[in-house]
Amino acid sequence: VVETITEDGKPKKKKIRTRVIKKVKGDKQEVTKIEIVEEDDKQPETTVTVEEIPVEEELPEEIKELPEEVRVVETITEDGKPKKKKIRTRVIKKVKGDKQEVTKIETVEEDDKQPETTVTVEEIPKKIRTRVIKKVKGDKQEVTKIETVEEDDKQPETTVTVEEIPVEEEQPEEIKELPEEVRVVETITEDGKPKKKKIRTRVIKKVKGDKEEVTKIETVEEDDKEPETT
């Protein structure tokens, strides 16, 4: 709650409600931020920002090797003799998430010389960040989509598209979390020793229109065991 004093000396309140919802889909995480600004004598103004970011987790790795390329270069030496040089090139591409590693192995074979091999590795990461900003004003919704492509050694490239669409009437959603309940159950084992079990219970109620979704999170903690959550 932000309280300010107007020019005529009256107090004015502005209430800002913020909710953040994180949704993981495959290798990406969608972060939705909902901000509602409520002011006296004004309609509430809602801004929804959706950002898609990569999830930092172990991603599958794909390795692809291109067919070997062989080139023969023939030159004439100073004493007029022909001289051959054979160049073998192998390219291995390793793709992991939004990163690509290119390994180039080049072997040069010449007469009367040991083969000489050069290995070069190049990493080409490419990151695409997408943000969607929805601004509701009256019966219209302005949707701004910001897409930024980031690559190494390149300036980020950003594309912005703005679209105005009618607002789909959405019912308000109310989320209520009940106080955590903790129960301790004590039992006696076969060898006469006391054993404690702690049960933590959280209940979250989500009401939207005539529907209510109840989420119950129960965590059981026992000695010498990992906590188990249902």
Side-chain angles (χ1 to χ4, degrees):
V1 179
V2 181
E3 192 166 318
T4 54
I5 305 296
T6 61
E7 289 177 3
D8 55 2
K10 290 180 182 176
K12 188 181 178 185
K13 279 186 181 177
K14 183 193 278 187
K15 193 181 277 181
I16 302 165
R17 300 179 185 272
T18 306
R19 286 175 58 213
V20 177
I21 302 162
K22 292 181 180 180
K23 196 182 282 183
V24 178
K25 287 180 179 178
D27 64 341
K28 290 195 176 173
Q29 180 173 259
E30 188 184 88
V31 180
T32 304
K33 187 180 177 183
I34 303 161
E35 195 170 82
I36 301 168
V37 179
E38 297 171 8
E39 284 189 78
D40 299 334
D41 309 319
K42 282 190 182 181
Q43 284 289 321
E45 192 175 300
T46 303
T47 305
V48 181
T49 308
V50 183
E51 190 174 3
E52 209 172 63
I53 56 173
V55 175
E56 291 178 6
E57 60 176 35
E58 201 60 32
L59 299 170
E61 190 174 79
E62 185 191 338
I63 296 172
K64 187 180 179 184
E65 185 169 345
L66 303 184
E68 186 181 62
E69 181 189 293
V70 180
R71 288 179 295 131
V72 178
V73 180
E74 192 165 317
T75 54
I76 305 297
T77 61
E78 290 177 2
D79 54 1
K81 291 180 181 176
K83 187 181 179 184
K84 281 185 182 177
K85 182 193 282 185
K86 191 180 280 184
I87 303 164
R88 299 179 184 275
T89 306
R90 286 172 59 215
V91 175
I92 300 163
K93 290 183 179 181
K94 194 185 283 183
V95 180
K96 192 173 185 180
D98 60 354
K99 288 189 178 179
Q100 181 175 270
E101 186 184 272
V102 180
T103 304
K104 189 178 179 184
I105 303 161
E106 196 170 79
T107 303
V108 178
E109 298 171 5
E110 285 189 78
D111 299 335
D112 310 320
K113 281 189 183 180
Q114 286 290 323
E116 194 176 295
T117 301
T118 307
V119 180
T120 54
V121 180
E122 187 185 0
E123 212 174 62
I124 314 168
K126 187 178 183 179
K127 209 173 267 183
I128 299 171
R129 295 184 184 274
T130 305
R131 286 178 63 218
V132 178
I133 300 167
K134 294 178 181 178
K135 195 172 276 186
V136 179
K137 285 182 179 177
D139 62 344
K140 289 196 176 174
Q141 181 173 252
E142 188 184 88
V143 181
T144 305
K145 188 179 178 184
I146 303 160
E147 194 172 83
T148 305
V149 179
E150 297 171 7
E151 285 188 75
D152 281 353
D153 308 320
K154 283 188 182 180
Q155 285 290 321
E157 196 173 296
T158 301
T159 308
V160 180
T161 54
V162 182
E163 190 183 0
E164 205 172 69
I165 56 171
V167 173
E168 291 177 11
E169 196 161 324
E170 199 175 333
Q171 292 175 313
E173 186 178 81
E174 184 190 341
I175 296 173
K176 186 180 179 184
E177 184 169 344
L178 302 184
E180 185 180 63
E181 179 189 294
V182 180
R183 287 179 293 134
V184 178
V185 180
E186 192 166 318
T187 55
I188 305 296
T189 62
E190 291 178 4
D191 54 2
K193 290 181 182 176
K195 188 180 178 184
K196 280 185 181 177
K197 182 193 282 186
K198 192 180 277 183
I199 302 164
R200 298 179 183 273
T201 307
R202 284 173 60 212
V203 176
I204 300 164
K205 291 183 178 181
K206 193 185 284 185
V207 181
K208 193 171 184 180
D210 59 351
K211 289 187 180 178
E212 183 180 73
E213 182 186 279
V214 180
T215 304
K216 187 177 178 184
I217 303 161
E218 194 170 82
T219 304
V220 178
E221 297 171 7
E222 284 188 78
D223 298 334
D224 308 319
K225 282 189 181 180
E226 285 291 316
E228 192 174 297
T229 300
T230 308

